[in-house]
Amino acid sequence: MSASSQTSTVPGEHVASTASPATPAEKIGLLEKVGYGCGDLASNFIWQAMSIFIVYYYTDVIGVAAGIIGSIMLFSRVFDGFSDIAMGYVIDKTRSRHGKARPWLLWLAVPFALSAVMLFAVPDASPFWQVVYIAVTYNVVCLVYTGLNVPYGTMNSLITQDQYQRSLLNVYRMSLALIGVLLVSNLTLPVATLFGGGQFGWVVTFMIFGSVGTALFIFTFKTTRERVKPASQSQRDSTVSLKESLLTLCKNRYWALATSFILMTYIFNALNSGAVVYYAEYILDDTWMVGIVTTAYIAFILVGMACVAPITRRFGKRNAIIVGELITICGYFVMLIDLSNVTLLIAGTIIRGIGKAPINGSMFAILGDTIEYGEWKTGIRNEGMVYSGGSMGIKIGSGLGTALIGWVLAFGGYVGGGGEQSAAALLSIQTLFIYLPLALCVLLIVLMLFYDLDKRYPSIIEDLKARA
């Protein structure tokens, strides 16, 4: 063992930011980048369609009280968040000829689609049994989604160890995810209406979405490859206990910051996507504005995503995220000029979309970078456990955001099924779509001020290579 290896076995907290960068980026082919991105496209054909419409479907199609739905969502997502940790540990112990994370996309692609269809097939029964059915099927969907999403996120760190290539993979991932959001937000209501509307139309719609999602997951499996191995040969030949793996997360402050950032971002996303249908119907008096507003938002995120990789390479992911949140706040200020003015709403939405591009393009890349920090600090590389934190952030954040929709609507006296709403109910809708997301942008900026891993990462990689 070399002297450099010996001195880095038990690393300290201080690493000079001036160390030489990592070796030249390993080139990832276009097909693999697109294939990886299609995994999130697959998820969004089912998961995002649920996120946008599930509360609306339960309150306005099935007729379940908004407060009950909000409570179910929160309990399910928080419970499921802990299952993410378990799934992360399972990934780290998985040994197959296809790798440790990638095979799960093949194994669970069909069950995820089937469980999503079941979610909408609420039986014509008493309200009590409808609530029981919703609670059970929603938990099943969340658990199967965990079995797909945690491995999928983990694959980013297993495909390459280069920061820039990870950023590119994340740009493809989030760009295709946004295309999925764009498609489902514009197609769900028309397709459900095409098949007669009501419950039958929704079930058929998700049969179609589920079939597309399954095919895309299999495509991702076929076109990607795991390459990265632990720096320590001993860890390559053995597995780490759950206790040890959890302890490494506790020592990884950047993992805690990245996971918290993802959690709060997904609260924002859940509010933004779940409240838009209510805002369009009761503030703008036009449900078709759901597609227009979502299209404007997603289209300009996609425009901004084209510039994310070079910007983050030049200025760092943290700085790009902070500027993006500031731009998003400016978009909300434009909307606040007149809450019912469609032109200002679209203008503010476009600005918000541009601002959110660096956030969407960087948040899972910063999570991936915390893997190397954890390995450098503790000697243990646990991709599955690290990415389980990201999935946990998605689940709990989405659950809390969705629950807030139900709770705030109930607090404001919202009455499902259309018709005139009280001033308090209208204010609750405005709060969900504008005021709460605006406050979250401010909190996210504060959180990112504590994240400085970008400048330390090259030195950490060099130190890890010295140990190999």
Side-chain angles (χ1 to χ4, degrees):
M1 182 179 289
S2 66
S4 61
S5 298
Q6 291 172 340
T7 57
S8 61
T9 303
V10 184
E13 260 301 301
H14 302 289
V15 173
S17 61
T18 57
S20 60
T23 54
E26 178 182 8
K27 298 297 182 183
I28 306 298
L30 178 61
L31 179 62
E32 188 166 6
K33 292 172 185 172
V34 173
Y36 179 71
C38 282
D40 225 345
L41 175 60
S43 292
N44 278 282
F45 257 104
I46 303 172
W47 188 259
Q48 189 62 36
M50 288 164 47
S51 298
I52 295 174
F53 295 105
I54 194 67
V55 176
Y56 178 80
Y57 175 78
Y58 285 147
T59 58
D60 286 43
V61 177
I62 302 299
V64 180
I68 293 175
I69 295 302
S71 298
I72 291 174
M73 300 295 180
L74 179 61
F75 173 79
S76 299
R77 295 286 180 85
V78 171
F79 171 77
D80 193 45
F82 290 101
S83 72
D84 291 331
I85 299 295
M87 188 64 207
Y89 185 63
V90 168
I91 293 169
D92 287 330
K93 290 179 69 68
T94 298
R95 300 288 186 270
S96 82
R97 63 190 181 92
H98 301 304
K100 61 194 295 187
R102 181 168 156 261
W104 290 96
L105 274 63
L106 178 66
W107 298 336
L108 294 178
V110 172
F112 183 45
L114 292 175
S115 63
V117 173
M118 290 172 55
L119 190 65
F120 286 82
V122 181
D124 184 13
S126 67
F128 172 80
W129 287 112
Q130 285 185 328
V131 169
V132 170
Y133 180 89
I134 290 169
V136 171
T137 54
Y138 192 82
N139 274 288
V140 169
V141 170
C142 288
L143 286 171
V144 179
Y145 179 70
T146 295
L148 278 164
N149 191 64
V150 177
Y152 175 71
T154 304
M155 285 171 59
N156 181 285
S157 64
L158 292 168
I159 292 173
T160 180
Q161 204 169 28
D162 181 83
Q163 269 191 307
Y164 181 63
Q165 292 297 322
R166 279 184 184 170
S167 294
L168 285 176
L169 285 170
N170 196 63
V171 167
Y172 275 87
R173 170 186 180 175
M174 298 309 294
S175 295
L176 284 164
L178 292 169
I179 290 172
V181 175
L182 196 60
L183 289 171
V184 300
S185 64
N186 285 281
L187 292 177
T188 302
L189 288 175
V191 172
T193 302
L194 178 66
F195 287 99
Q199 185 176 24
F200 177 78
W202 285 86
V203 170
V204 173
T205 299
F206 275 82
M207 285 182 178
I208 296 170
F209 287 171
S211 299
V212 174
T214 296
L216 288 168
F217 274 127
I218 293 173
F219 177 71
T220 299
F221 169 80
K222 292 286 189 181
T223 55
T224 54
R225 184 162 63 93
E226 295 183 11
R227 299 175 180 85
V228 178
K229 305 295 182 184
S232 167
Q233 183 62 47
S234 62
Q235 195 185 340
R236 297 179 196 178
D237 300 331
S238 62
T239 58
V240 178
S241 71
L242 178 60
K243 180 180 179 181
E244 285 180 297
S245 198
L246 287 172
L247 285 173
T248 64
L249 296 184
C250 295
K251 296 175 182 178
N252 192 331
R253 62 191 179 94
Y254 293 114
W255 174 83
L257 286 168
T259 298
S260 299
F261 182 86
I262 290 171
L263 185 150
M264 292 192 346
T265 297
Y266 272 83
I267 294 175
F268 176 97
N269 290 345
L271 293 173
N272 185 64
S273 60
V276 65
V277 64
Y278 295 99
Y279 198 89
E281 180 168 355
Y282 297 108
I283 305 299
L284 305 178
D285 197 29
D286 184 358
T287 55
W288 291 101
M289 285 298 296
V290 173
I292 296 172
V293 171
T294 305
T295 299
Y297 183 64
I298 300 302
F300 280 87
I301 293 180
L302 288 170
V303 170
M305 290 280 278
C307 306
V308 167
I311 289 174
T312 57
R313 192 177 199 177
R314 173 68 179 83
F315 300 104
K317 292 186 280 290
R318 184 197 75 158
N319 294 336
I321 286 172
I322 290 173
V323 172
E325 295 290 2
L326 289 170
I327 294 172
T328 305
I329 289 171
C330 291
Y332 279 112
F333 284 159
V334 170
M335 294 165 62
L336 284 169
I337 295 172
D338 185 346
L339 296 177
S340 61
N341 186 297
V342 173
T343 301
L344 290 174
L345 175 66
I346 297 299
T349 297
I350 290 171
I351 296 170
R352 289 190 301 124
I354 294 171
K356 278 298 174 182
I359 289 91
N360 282 20
S362 301
M363 62 180 169
F364 290 106
I366 66 173
L367 182 66
D369 292 346
T370 69
I371 293 171
E372 279 71 39
Y373 173 78
E375 184 179 13
W376 169 82
K377 185 173 176 63
T378 67
I380 294 174
R381 184 178 182 88
N382 52 348
E383 300 99 337
M385 291 294 285
V386 167
Y387 268 97
S388 71
S391 181
M392 182 173 63
I394 292 173
K395 299 289 186 55
I396 296 178
S398 299
L400 185 55
T402 305
L404 282 169
I405 293 174
W407 291 340
V408 173
L409 288 176
F411 182 78
Y414 171 80
V415 179
E420 198 75 21
Q421 299 292 340
S422 66
L426 296 177
L427 177 60
S428 70
I429 293 170
Q430 294 167 356
T431 299
L432 290 168
F433 190 64
I434 295 179
Y435 300 126
L436 284 178
L438 176 58
L440 282 167
C441 289
V442 176
L443 290 175
L444 286 166
I445 291 173
V446 173
L447 193 66
M448 275 293 99
L449 292 175
F450 294 94
Y451 184 93
D452 64 346
L453 183 57
D454 285 344
K455 64 182 180 181
R456 304 179 64 185
Y457 189 85
S459 297
I460 289 171
I461 290 296
E462 288 300 317
D463 200 19
L464 287 173
K465 286 180 179 179
R467 300 183 203 178

